[in-house]
Amino acid sequence: MITSTRRVSPDKSEVRIAFSLDSTQDRNDVAELSPNFPDLEQRLQPVPPCTALRESVHVYREHCKMAREFHQVKHDIAMLEERKRKLLAELVEDDQVAIEIARLEEEFDLLT
């Protein structure tokens, strides 16, 4: 852990900065997050990172984020396709009703 305290200007209070080059927080987060993405092909599944490398953990998190977004988009597409199917069914039903109304109007005109 590296800690540094500096005074930015005489009238400001001290600023303390602390950071670590070996963050165990990243490792703990990755260990807790072993997500499963069943809708992804096996070759597209996020590969667990090398926790000793910060870049590897970052890439893993980005990959998981993209996989979640992909899952959400797939879900949205499925919902929209279902909505489209229902609307098409309603359209067919409305067309049938319109044809029946036209037939009844013709029959009414003939009778009157």
Side-chain angles (χ1 to χ4, degrees), residues 79-95:
M79 290 188 63
L80 289 170
E81 286 176 343
E82 177 65 20
R83 177 77 176 134
K84 176 185 170 186
R85 188 190 61 74
K86 287 179 181 177
L87 288 173
L88 285 173
E90 287 180 24
L91 182 62
V92 167
E93 185 179 320
D94 288 347
D95 286 345

Coordinates of all heavy atoms in Angstrom, one line a residue, residues 79-95:
M79 N -38.8 -10.9 -26.9 CA -40.0 -10.2 -26.5 C -40.6 -9.5 -27.7 O -41.9 -9.5 -27.8 CB -39.8 -9.3 -25.3 CG -39.5 -10.1 -24.0 SD -39.4 -9.0 -22.6 CE -41.1 -8.4 -22.5
L80 N -39.8 -8.8 -28.4 CA -40.3 -8.0 -29.6 C -40.9 -9.0 -30.7 O -41.9 -8.7 -31.3 CB -39.2 -7.1 -30.2 CG -38.8 -5.9 -29.3 CD1 -37.6 -5.3 -29.9 CD2 -40.0 -5.0 -29.2
E81 N -40.2 -10.1 -30.9 CA -40.8 -11.1 -31.8 C -42.1 -11.6 -31.4 O -43.0 -11.8 -32.2 CB -39.8 -12.2 -32.1 CG -38.6 -11.8 -32.9 CD -37.5 -12.9 -33.0 OE1 -37.5 -13.8 -32.3 OE2 -36.7 -12.7 -34.0
E82 N -42.2 -11.9 -30.1 CA -43.5 -12.3 -29.5 C -44.6 -11.3 -29.7 O -45.7 -11.6 -30.1 CB -43.4 -12.7 -28.1 CG -44.6 -13.1 -27.4 CD -45.2 -14.4 -27.9 OE1 -44.5 -15.2 -28.6 OE2 -46.4 -14.7 -27.7
R83 N -44.2 -10.0 -29.4 CA -45.2 -8.9 -29.6 C -45.6 -8.8 -31.1 O -46.7 -8.6 -31.4 CB -44.5 -7.6 -29.2 CG -45.4 -6.4 -29.4 CD -46.5 -6.3 -28.4 NE -47.2 -5.0 -28.6 CZ -48.5 -4.9 -28.6 NH1 -49.2 -6.0 -28.4 NH2 -49.0 -3.7 -28.8
K84 N -44.6 -9.0 -32.0 CA -44.9 -8.9 -33.5 C -45.9 -10.0 -33.8 O -46.8 -9.8 -34.6 CB -43.6 -9.1 -34.2 CG -43.8 -9.1 -35.7 CD -42.4 -9.4 -36.4 CE -42.6 -9.7 -37.9 NZ -41.4 -10.1 -38.5
R85 N -45.6 -11.2 -33.3 CA -46.5 -12.4 -33.6 C -47.9 -12.1 -33.2 O -48.9 -12.3 -33.9 CB -46.0 -13.6 -32.9 CG -46.7 -14.9 -33.3 CD -46.3 -16.1 -32.5 NE -46.6 -15.9 -31.0 CZ -47.9 -16.0 -30.5 NH1 -48.9 -16.2 -31.3 NH2 -48.0 -15.8 -29.2
K86 N -48.1 -11.5 -32.0 CA -49.4 -11.2 -31.5 C -50.1 -10.1 -32.3 O -51.3 -10.2 -32.6 CB -49.3 -10.7 -30.0 CG -49.1 -11.8 -29.0 CD -49.0 -11.3 -27.6 CE -48.7 -12.4 -26.6 NZ -48.6 -11.9 -25.3
L87 N -49.3 -9.1 -32.7 CA -49.9 -8.0 -33.5 C -50.3 -8.5 -34.9 O -51.3 -8.1 -35.4 CB -48.9 -6.9 -33.7 CG -48.7 -6.0 -32.4 CD1 -47.5 -5.1 -32.6 CD2 -49.9 -5.3 -32.0
L88 N -49.5 -9.5 -35.5 CA -49.9 -10.0 -36.8 C -51.2 -10.9 -36.6 O -52.0 -10.8 -37.5 CB -48.7 -10.9 -37.3 CG -47.5 -10.1 -37.9 CD1 -46.4 -11.1 -38.2 CD2 -48.0 -9.3 -39.1
A89 N -51.3 -11.6 -35.5 CA -52.5 -12.4 -35.3 C -53.7 -11.4 -35.2 O -54.8 -11.7 -35.7 CB -52.4 -13.2 -34.1
E90 N -53.5 -10.3 -34.5 CA -54.6 -9.3 -34.4 C -55.0 -8.7 -35.7 O -56.1 -8.5 -36.0 CB -54.2 -8.2 -33.4 CG -54.2 -8.6 -31.9 CD -53.9 -7.5 -31.0 OE1 -54.0 -6.3 -31.4 OE2 -53.4 -7.7 -29.9
L91 N -54.0 -8.5 -36.5 CA -54.2 -7.9 -37.9 C -55.0 -8.9 -38.7 O -55.9 -8.5 -39.4 CB -52.8 -7.6 -38.5 CG -52.9 -7.0 -39.9 CD1 -53.6 -5.6 -39.8 CD2 -51.5 -6.8 -40.5
V92 N -54.6 -10.2 -38.7 CA -55.4 -11.2 -39.5 C -56.8 -11.2 -39.0 O -57.7 -11.3 -39.8 CB -54.7 -12.5 -39.4 CG1 -55.6 -13.6 -39.9 CG2 -53.3 -12.5 -40.1
E93 N -57.0 -11.2 -37.7 CA -58.3 -11.2 -37.1 C -59.1 -10.0 -37.5 O -60.3 -10.1 -37.9 CB -58.3 -11.3 -35.6 CG -59.6 -11.5 -34.9 CD -59.4 -11.6 -33.4 OE1 -58.5 -12.2 -32.9 OE2 -60.3 -10.9 -32.7
D94 N -58.5 -8.8 -37.5 CA -59.2 -7.6 -37.9 C -59.5 -7.6 -39.4 O -60.6 -7.2 -39.8 CB -58.3 -6.4 -37.7 CG -58.2 -6.0 -36.2 OD1 -59.0 -6.6 -35.4 OD2 -57.3 -5.2 -35.8
D95 N -58.6 -8.2 -40.2 CA -59.0 -8.3 -41.7 C -60.2 -9.2 -41.9 O -61.0 -9.0 -42.7 CB -57.8 -8.9 -42.4 CG -56.6 -7.9 -42.6 OD1 -56.9 -6.7 -42.4 OD2 -55.5 -8.3 -42.9

